[in-house]
Amino acid sequence: MPVSRNTIGTAAVGGALILTLAALVYPSMLGIQTTASNQSRIIANTQWGPLTEADRNFVVFVRSAGLWEGPSGQVAMQKGTTAAVREAGRHLVIGHAALDASCRKIAPELNITIPNQPTPQQQGFLATFQSDKGKQFDTDFANTLRMTHGSIFNTIAKIRSTTENTLVRALADQANDVVLDHITQMEKTGLVNFDQVNFQETTPPKLPAAQVTPPAPQPGAPIVALTVPPGLSTEGVPTGPATAPSPAPSPTAG
């Protein structure tokens, strides 16, 4: 299936998500004076088990991903030209709302500062979707999100198999179910260029850390919450085993 130059360029950037976990470091907010990239380094001992840099970065990444993929799903529900694209958008909205609730619950328990905005790279993806029209939107949406979800899928497995923290492990279980569903939904659109997607997943470009790191939240700012719009049916959408019930909602994103 042919893919536009715009789509290929978007996917090329998206492959850098595989590097994101190494860049997501909020040392000053956590009282850590080093920016060491040793992902296995224990940064805290909690009642749920030791917390490593990789564990912390994973929670931040899941939160950051939802902050652009949830709104992207809402755009797809409005702009998708096929039922399959609109359905994929519904799954994104619902799945990321569930993951976001878990992130917002466990972050304060683990003393993890979570972002209120996605990374500059992710903001660029969302801006592309918002400006796309017609079939171009469908193609960009399906290929970009198939590639970004595929890029993180192996990372979820690694976190699940190595973390000793029970809260992070539960989040990985949930993320595995949700991300697999989203991969499947993108494939069901019939628009995925697998050769291009697989190439970008295995050969990601190198981007500056600032492009793949979410901005630090403003001190005292309320935590943005992803929520399911009123009246939107959640039937048939896997949301995984939630790590905890959702806290009281704050300002809604998207």
Side-chain angles (χ1 to χ4, degrees), residues 106 186 196:
I106 71 173
M186 297 308 148
Q196 183 67 34

Side-chain angles (χ1 to χ4, degrees), residues 101-126:
S102 296
C103 288
R104 288 184 285 111
K105 176 66 171 95
I106 71 173
E109 294 174 331
L110 296 174
N111 195 29
I112 296 174
T113 301
I114 55 175
N116 267 338
Q117 298 178 55
T119 71
Q121 179 200 42
Q122 293 166 338
Q123 292 178 42
F125 293 154
L126 182 56

Side-chain angles (χ1 to χ4, degrees), residues 20-93:
T20 303
L21 285 176
L24 293 175
V25 182
Y26 282 359
S28 60
M29 292 184 237
L30 297 166
I32 300 167
Q33 300 306 312
T34 177
T35 58
S37 59
N38 179 5
Q39 295 289 290
S40 63
R41 183 174 71 92
I42 294 175
I43 60 174
N45 286 299
T46 77
Q47 67 186 86
W48 299 278
L51 184 76
T52 66
E53 285 192 10
D55 294 336
R56 175 192 61 195
N57 293 348
F58 179 67
V59 175
V60 173
F61 177 84
V62 172
R63 163 71 171 177
S64 176
L67 290 172
W68 81 276
E69 291 178 0
S72 293
Q74 292 197 10
V75 174
M77 291 173 62
Q78 298 165 359
K79 296 177 65 172
T81 69
T82 70
V85 170
R86 294 191 294 271
E87 177 68 0
R90 185 176 76 95
H91 280 243
L92 284 181
V93 170

Side-chain angles (χ1 to χ4, degrees), residues 107-193:
E109 294 174 331
L110 296 174
N111 195 29
I112 296 174
T113 301
I114 55 175
N116 267 338
Q117 298 178 55
T119 71
Q121 179 200 42
Q122 293 166 338
Q123 292 178 42
F125 293 154
L126 182 56
T128 296
F129 297 159
Q130 290 169 335
S131 64
D132 274 348
K133 299 182 184 303
K135 294 293 185 181
Q136 183 64 58
F137 169 79
D138 295 345
T139 300
D140 285 352
F141 173 79
N143 282 276
T144 302
L145 284 161
R146 171 58 179 80
M147 188 271 305
T148 56
H149 282 84
S151 294
I152 194 57
F153 199 48
N154 290 334
T155 301
I156 295 171
K158 183 175 182 180
I159 291 292
R160 177 59 181 84
S161 64
T162 60
T163 185
E164 297 180 45
N165 188 282
T166 56
L167 293 183
V168 174
R169 189 179 306 136
L171 180 63
D173 282 340
Q174 184 182 16
N176 185 76
D177 290 351
V178 171
V179 169
L180 179 57
D181 173 60
H182 293 174
I183 287 173
T184 302
Q185 291 302 313
M186 297 308 148
E187 292 170 349
K188 283 183 176 180
T189 67
L191 298 171
V192 174
N193 182 323

